[in-house]
Amino acid sequence: MDIATIVGLILGMIMVVGSIIVGKGDLMAFVSPSSFILVIGGSFSSVLISFPMSEVKKIMSITLKVILNKQKDVLVIINQLVSLAESARRDGLLALEGRLEEIEEPFLALGIRMAVDGMSAEIVDAIMRTEMEAIEFRHEVGKQFYDAFGKYAPAYGMLGTVVGLVIMLAHMDPETIGPGMAMCLITTFYGAIAANVFCLPFVDKLVYYNSREILSMEIMVRGVIAIQAGENPRVVKQKLMTFIPPKLRPEEEEQA
Amino acid sequence: MDIATIVGLILGMIMVVGSIIVGKGDLMAFVSPSSFILVIGGSFSSVLISFPMSEVKKIMSITLKVILNKQKDVLVIINQLVSLAESARRDGLLALEGRLEEIEEPFLALGIRMAVDGMSAEIVDAIMRTEMEAIEFRHEVGKQFYDAFGKYAPAYGMLGTVVGLVIMLAHMDPETIGPGMAMCLITTFYGAIAANVFCLPFVDKLVYYNSREILSMEIMVRGVIAIQAGENPRVVKQKLMTFIPPKLRPEEEEQA
Amino acid sequence: MDIATIVGLILGMIMVVGSIIVGKGDLMAFVSPSSFILVIGGSFSSVLISFPMSEVKKIMSITLKVILNKQKDVLVIINQLVSLAESARRDGLLALEGRLEEIEEPFLALGIRMAVDGMSAEIVDAIMRTEMEAIEFRHEVGKQFYDAFGKYAPAYGMLGTVVGLVIMLAHMDPETIGPGMAMCLITTFYGAIAANVFCLPFVDKLVYYNSREILSMEIMVRGVIAIQAGENPRVVKQKLMTFIPPKLRPEEEEQA
Amino acid sequence: MDIATIVGLILGMIMVVGSIIVGKGDLMAFVSPSSFILVIGGSFSSVLISFPMSEVKKIMSITLKVILNKQKDVLVIINQLVSLAESARRDGLLALEGRLEEIEEPFLALGIRMAVDGMSAEIVDAIMRTEMEAIEFRHEVGKQFYDAFGKYAPAYGMLGTVVGLVIMLAHMDPETIGPGMAMCLITTFYGAIAANVFCLPFVDKLVYYNSREILSMEIMVRGVIAIQAGENPRVVKQKLMTFIPPKLRPEEEEQA
Amino acid sequence: MDIATIVGLILGMIMVVGSIIVGKGDLMAFVSPSSFILVIGGSFSSVLISFPMSEVKKIMSITLKVILNKQKDVLVIINQLVSLAESARRDGLLALEGRLEEIEEPFLALGIRMAVDGMSAEIVDAIMRTEMEAIEFRHEVGKQFYDAFGKYAPAYGMLGTVVGLVIMLAHMDPETIGPGMAMCLITTFYGAIAANVFCLPFVDKLVYYNSREILSMEIMVRGVIAIQAGENPRVVKQKLMTFIPPKLRPEEEEQA
């Protein structure tokens, strides 16, 4: 659960709604289902054209998975890798087969299973990195999705405003010109909110989570290769710990 | 057939037309052949200056080919390469000549024919990569075409609005100023639709298809080189499978 | 002669002028020498500050040369290189001296003369690549010139509109405010045309021609080095042909 | 203490406030707590969504540390490294343990301690560079924070203006339309100040300080590795001095 | 003295002032010291925050030096290097000490002095390249300064317009609204001139001069290293001449 996202979304909505109330505006004047449909539906249409259907279908699950899943603790991963290295060193690589079910991380389980199956280090490395790239590619598509949505939403907002202006100007009526203009601006309002409160911040967060995920997968790849090579668990630990800045390391490591 | 593109285009048009109808606007007020010609014709003129005629002529076919052609299944390509590797291993490279007609992919057929003709691996690799770059270059031109169109359409939309304003303001008449302004905005409306509903989403889709096409051609090049070197079909399969993320692989491969 | 450029420029002007006539506007209302001088003269001033005088002087000749010169046929260049390789192989490198005058391409003549003069392959390669970079740099300056012009023209158009507004608003007069505003917009109109009809499309075309020119020079460099090394003409041909996609190759090459 | 930042901030505020006073405006007309909350609170909401909470918490300390801390004098660092190299050469690496407390720079102390502990040069280098990347990453997050804030502030300013316009236009009243419009523009005013006076200049300064910090850490890494290898202090000095441009070097160095 | 810069600046001012006079505007209506102070002073404040004081102080001298200094003739530099190579070859490296005072270029003098002092080629190369990077860094700061100024000037121009509008709208008075609006636009006018006539073109010119300066320093580094290695002056010349495109070379070189 990402607290910052939840707090930010709620805070952002409070700010916008609050500014309307404080400005003595009528909240209902900002509700316009047709404007909402044009901006959100239109942006979604453009995004549909931009990506293949197979990718669009995954967006929701990628978004939820990346935002809701708790961040992996890199130290826990390193400790598990060191423990696996000890088993492998003591009882041989095949002994890891018995420990496969205790590995929660599917990516790590994949690597260990390949090592147990006796595939060459080169192939294990290539397959794990292909999987890494596939995961990175899925995140990249999620990022591009929100990037595109954040680009099209203000564009459709502007389009809606132009449509509204044309309709209003065609039957120009001094008495209704004020409310008419107000109505025109609602699509711009929706477009700006969709882009600045939702899409663009989502892009940044997806990029951040992706970089963390890639780091933890890099550690797993290095760990599996080291385990397969039968390296000393102490050396494995020292190697993997170089991925963690000194300040974040547990005390005993520095005394090692 | 790319369903997302078709659905997106239809949905996008429904959104725009629907918002006019819901807003009680007159659809005919948005029809202006002269505005259409200025925005689309003008943008096309600028694109003509931007590219050589030889490339412009290919745009339509590239667009149709890339958008309508069904996506290649990478697994099918790998299986065909493995099957070819088996033939070559059993009956010699020349045996592949008899299987040339069953290869649908012209790029793969080109590679196999060169291997059968006894050209050196180095030359086969260089020629296949040149062909890959030529195909990538054609896609790149397609992308640049829509990129440019999506840049010029709003610019000509703005230009048309300025032209309309100058005409309207020169003979200022309070009674017609509303409809006059409405007319001016139609070119902006057309420019925004051309860019956001058509051109910019097309650019993204072309980029996506290109990346898939390049991946499948990369697999073919690696496969042909491996076949020519007379590698074991099992090894060929393992090598090429590293291009596919584990989750997408057929079951038996993981047990191999 | 680049037909697309000519057609595009004429078509673009027809679109703009046509939209004024169709809109029942007075063409003369769009003619304003002082606006023209501010936008074009102002943009040119900024470009003058951006580049050294020595480069600005070359702009016109580079533009004309790159746009009017007919594109080099890469196949003709390869055939000439193969023919030179045959002479060199049969009669020695010095025999190429007698064929120097039949070489139209100054860049190729430079390379062959250096080879005949007995300079080392390393030096020939370095000098030809320096010349390549010098030519690429000249094209780059041409590209930057139009890039800058296309950036400053709308800026001066906007500046002219602000100047016009200030003048008009200072002596506000309800009767002339319409035509006054119209006059203000002419500089924006000129700026948009200068950028979108001329400068920005020119940038794209210069980039395209440059990439073609660089490719043909790359082939010449490789050819000269191969000739100097006394390589077999058949091998020279095969090597250089890898720069051409298979579909564009003459038939006999594939049977070779 | 960074004088330029303090002077710039004060000067910037004087310019803005002064222009209001000189323009005979009422300063109180520019004070609007609700607008302030919408622009700053809204931007902060979007930034919260963009980054994980753990990074947002560090922003204030990073900002203060990077802007207030006095710049490290690279010459002082080099002299300390040379002095440490002399001790190590004379009394052995272990002698550096006694000098650890005189090292103020925690990054340098970390490196020397690892060298004293007898870790291999490879590991020392890897750990110091991981720490460098961690520090660079923290600065990068600070930069991205202000980058994002400087992007969202004008967007929320625009959003507030749209909200204000909708409220004002819904109850159109000729007498209050002037002051109403004025109120609408306050959010744009706040957004522009937040971006141009605070956020965007902060980004540039953070980038500058980061580049200086990275340079001094690079020198420390090289110094520690050289000390560990037991290199001659004179050679250590000469090597590290190549990071300083000749003009900034003390005189005796050039005579060395 | 850079003629293009002087001519461009004068021409640009003539264009702007001329367009005001031709448009029958009152030049004094465009003079507003308070607007000038807001735009220029405000932009300068933001730039002060963006850079450390030590860099801001150097801006004026860097700007003057880069724009006023006459461009170095690369051929003259090469000839001097060849002449130094001849002395070194004939009378030994130490003989160059007597020729140090005839070297005008401080960067070249630095290199020759280090060679005479018997420093190793590796150190000479490293120190010269550090100095090159320091000079490039200074030019880069100059470029960033004008880049930032050209970004903030229009932003403060817009800010001033918003401030002016708020003041004007707060006390709405139909009679003064025209001149009031005109006054508001003056800051936009100043911002656009500061950016488009001064800052942005300066950025391009600084980039151009920097690339030339770097080229001539690269030649000096290569020359000094070759002289130190005691290479044949003819070879030194041939090597350095590869930096000059054939067309710009003196005749005798091609006959060499």
Side-chain angles (χ1 to χ4, degrees), chain D residues 72-82 105 107-108 112 125 128-129 132 211-227 236-237 239-245, chain E residues 130:
Chain D
K72 285 153 198 158
D73 188 336
V74 178
L75 272 177
V76 170
I77 291 168
I78 293 181
N79 286 335
Q80 188 167 36
L81 282 164
V82 171
E105 204 58 54
F107 183 70
L108 181 52
I112 295 294
D125 187 79
M128 289 186 87
R129 290 197 183 279
M132 253 173 91
S211 74
R212 297 279 93 182
E213 182 104 10
I214 292 301
L215 178 72
S216 67
M217 288 197 294
E218 181 70 39
I219 289 175
M220 292 183 216
V221 173
R222 302 274 181 103
V224 168
I225 299 298
I227 288 170
V236 172
K237 183 167 196 173
K239 268 191 187 175
L240 300 182
M241 277 295 174
T242 60
F243 282 94
I244 304 185
Chain E
T130 306

Side-chain angles (χ1 to χ4, degrees), chain A residues 52-103:
Chain A
M53 195 60 102
S54 56
E55 301 299 340
V56 173
K57 279 180 188 157
K58 291 182 212 148
I59 293 297
M60 203 42 69
S61 73
I62 294 171
T63 309
L64 283 179
K65 194 184 147 207
V66 175
I67 291 185
L68 292 186
N69 270 15
K70 74 176 200 295
Q71 226 174 314
K72 284 154 199 159
D73 188 336
V74 177
L75 271 178
V76 171
I77 292 169
I78 293 181
N79 286 335
Q80 188 166 36
L81 283 164
V82 172
S83 154
L84 289 167
E86 282 161 359
S87 297
R89 184 102 170 172
R90 207 175 38 230
D91 310 317
L93 257 179
L94 290 177
L96 296 183
E97 194 149 28
R99 297 190 57 185
L100 270 173
E101 64 251 42
E102 77 185 62
I103 302 173

